Amino acid sequence: MQDVKVGILGKGTVGGAFRKLLNERAEMVEEVSGRRPKVSGVLSSRKGDFDRILARSDIIVELIGGLEPAREYVTRSLTEGRHVITANKQLIAQHGDELVAAARRGGAQLRFEAAVAGAIPVIRVVQESLGAIPIEKVFGIVNGTTNYILTEMARGGLSYDEALAQAQALGYAEADPTEDVGGADAAAKMAILARLAFGSPVRLRDVPFEGIERIKPDDLAYAKELGLSLKLLGVAERVGDGEISVRVFPCFLYPGHPLAPIEGPFNAVMVEAPAITEITMSGPGAGGIETASAVLGDLVSVIGGGSPLFEENSRLRIAKDVEMAFYLHLEVDDRPGVLARIAEILGDNSVSVRSVVQRGAGDEAQLIMVMHPVSERRFNAALKRIAKLRFLRSPPRAIRVIEEEFT
Ligand SMILES: NC(=O)c1ccc[n+]([C@@H]2O[C@H](COP(=O)([O-])OP(=O)(O)OC[C@H]3O[C@@H](n4cnc5c(N)ncnc54)[C@H](OP(=O)(O)O)[C@@H]3O)[C@@H](O)[C@H]2O)c1
């Protein structure tokens, strides 16, 4: 059998780790897949020539990141019949259609296990193991940076800025952390997962996202008091007749929820379907060697012959509204009538209150309320009116709550 020639684009954290892993594991890959992989060229920003590498390769592994020139290189590789493996979630989430069309044109495979949840084989499970099962919901913690920050804020009482600085010092957050902390990274991963789980096109613009930048130590102190955990969650679910919802938001979880104990830079993804009840997968969500191992898994699949990707058989609508429970934190003047006025606004919007706690007095007075599940649109309408009340000392803070019990 002939060797398989592998061109590697990028030799940074993942590219460097992948090259090393491939050298170490070449024999094992040959045993499993029947052909021995051989590096045909490596491209970095300063060295190597893409055209020459393409001409010499059967498989292109894209580990540059960003949209350009990664999009151009991947599209050309696929069009010219080279299989492509990538860890680039933004590329797949934003240009998935174009890349799949190029793969079809070139009769090539496109694999991207490492783009979602690092070393956890979530794409493979959703796409292959559960391929014939109608999935109801895929959700989880798909960004390790934010999970690390929230864990440290809860554990050490650190402020958001302190926890972020610590994450950067330890290499869990990039120098520019905007994509991670603002939720865009998780949104791209959820768009990919939703697309695979529901077999329906989901664009990045269909995924509203919120990050964790506005979370305060107070919110975590409250969570701790009640035994709740605060996580940045990505949720993709069927919500009604022919409708799906895909979102990213910070959220309180009740104890007993399988995602509640996931701490530090770890990721975890849950899949729910009637046939399987639920599956939870957890593990390292990033890191050079961890991500490289997912890329190597894709390489074995590609050499062994693979299945087509993004098989889309339905066109589900993106729901405009969903129901959620909310926690609401208000800093208010301590005077009569305040609670009644807030209750009136909530009532006008059919938002029903599950619990209210008043903390502090005078300049320190706070109201902490938890709502029953309600239409997000109605809750946001109420929140807009509450934000205008003159007796509020700072803008209201609302965080979603998942009350679901798991046994
Ligand atoms: N790091 C992780 O833990 C992780 C986890 C999951 C997924 N990913 C994904 O993996 C991909 C790579 O990430 P990384 O952390 O390895 O990035 P990185 O360390 O910044 O490495 C990027 C590599 O691409 C090369 N490069 C940059 N611009 C280029 C250009 N125009 N032409 C050719 N080469 C270029 C760089 O060249 P130089 O060496 O010359 O700078 C470098 O070797 C990204 O899509 C990322 O989202 C990373």
Side-chain angles (χ1 to χ4, degrees):
M1 276 273 198
Q2 267 192 340
D3 292 343
V4 180
K5 295 184 255 14
V6 182
I8 307 174
L9 313 183
K11 55 175 194 179
T13 309
V14 183
F18 175 69
R19 187 176 185 185
K20 187 163 175 279
L21 193 65
L22 190 59
N23 283 338
E24 286 166 11
R25 302 278 159 174
E27 202 168 310
M28 201 165 264
V29 172
E30 186 178 10
E31 274 171 29
V32 179
S33 68
R35 291 174 73 189
R36 191 181 185 88
K38 201 165 173 218
V39 177
S40 51
V42 177
L43 184 72
S44 73
S45 63
R46 279 154 296 175
K47 259 180 120 177
D49 176 75
F50 171 69
D51 289 290
R52 288 187 60 193
I53 295 175
L54 180 64
R56 281 198 237 130
S57 305
D58 303 308
I59 297 174
I60 292 290
V61 177
E62 186 277 306
L63 299 169
I64 297 175
L67 292 181
E68 292 297 349
R71 187 198 61 84
E72 186 206 328
Y73 292 166
V74 169
T75 310
R76 278 192 50 205
S77 305
L78 291 167
T79 309
E80 295 186 24
R82 305 321 192 276
H83 305 304
V84 171
I85 299 163
T86 176
N88 191 332
K89 67 227 115 189
Q90 290 296 350
L91 181 66
I92 297 293
Q94 294 188 41
H95 295 287
D97 292 334
E98 178 189 334
L99 301 182
V100 168
R104 292 222 166 92
R105 272 200 307 277
Q109 290 183 54
L110 171 63
R111 295 245 164 201
F112 43 87
E113 181 65 71
V116 181
I120 314 170
V122 53
I123 301 275
R124 193 153 296 147
V125 169
V126 168
Q127 194 169 31
E128 294 173 19
S129 308
L130 302 179
I133 291 175
I135 292 174
E136 282 296 316
K137 187 168 172 181
V138 184
F139 64 115
I141 297 164
V142 292
N143 182 277
T145 306
T146 45
N147 206 50
Y148 177 83
I149 293 173
L150 292 175
T151 303
E152 289 307 305
M153 285 176 77
R155 195 186 281 158
L158 303 185
S159 70
Y160 167 76
D161 288 331
E162 287 165 343
L164 171 60
Q166 190 168 305
Q168 283 170 323
L170 291 170
Y172 294 137
E174 312 235 344
D176 176 3
T178 320
E179 272 212 5
D180 290 317
V181 298
D185 172 90
K189 292 167 178 170
M190 292 314 297
I192 297 171
L193 281 181
R195 211 171 167 141
L196 295 173
F198 306 130
S200 177
V202 177
R203 320 254 175 266
L204 199 53
R205 63 173 179 273
D206 297 328
V207 187
F209 59 87
E210 289 169 34
I212 62 163
E213 306 101 312
R214 287 197 292 270
I215 301 291
K216 298 270 184 283
D218 267 5
D219 300 322
L220 285 142
Y222 168 79
K224 206 168 186 179
E225 221 174 280
L226 293 185
L228 305 177
S229 330
L230 183 59
K231 306 289 181 195
L232 184 73
L233 282 197
V235 178
E237 58 187 335
R238 294 182 196 269
V239 287
D241 196 19
E243 287 194 331
I244 54 172
S245 164
V246 190
R247 296 163 298 143
V248 171
F249 48 79
C251 182
F252 285 124
L253 296 177
Y254 272 70
H257 193 290
L259 299 178
I262 305 299
E263 296 207 317
F266 279 75
N267 281 198
V269 176
M270 294 183 70
V271 184
E272 284 182 20
I276 55 160
T277 315
E278 93 238 352
I279 291 173
T280 307
M281 294 165 271
S282 65
I289 183 69
E290 294 84 349
T291 309
S293 78
V295 175
L296 191 68
D298 275 351
L299 186 77
V300 171
S301 301
V302 166
I303 300 175
S307 54
L309 292 170
F310 281 168
E311 271 300 299
E312 280 167 2
N313 40 36
S314 55
R315 188 162 278 271
L316 301 167
R317 286 186 309 279
I318 302 293
K320 298 228 159 41
D321 195 16
V322 288
E323 287 219 332
M324 277 305 284
F326 281 89
Y327 145 101
L328 179 61
H329 183 118
L330 301 171
E331 297 188 349
V332 292
D333 290 343
D334 192 5
R335 58 177 153 97
V338 166
L339 188 56
R341 182 74 189 108
I342 292 166
E344 188 189 336
I345 296 175
L346 292 171
D348 286 352
N349 288 282
S350 315
V351 179
S352 104
V353 177
R354 177 178 150 156
S355 65
V356 186
V357 178
Q358 175 164 356
R359 287 237 198 94
D363 285 353
E364 306 272 291
Q366 298 171 6
L367 284 176
I368 292 149
M369 313 177 90
V370 179
M371 314 300 155
H372 284 293
V374 60
S375 132
E376 287 205 4
R377 191 184 285 171
R378 286 210 300 263
F379 179 78
N380 285 328
L383 196 61
K384 220 167 152 185
R385 281 180 62 196
I386 290 172
K388 289 187 187 142
L389 293 172
R390 281 219 223 110
F391 52 71
L392 239 59
R393 297 196 313 273
S394 64
R397 297 205 306 271
I399 297 176
R400 290 167 182 81
V401 181
I402 290 190
E403 297 180 303
E404 230 172 317
E405 297 284 345
F406 287 80
T407 46

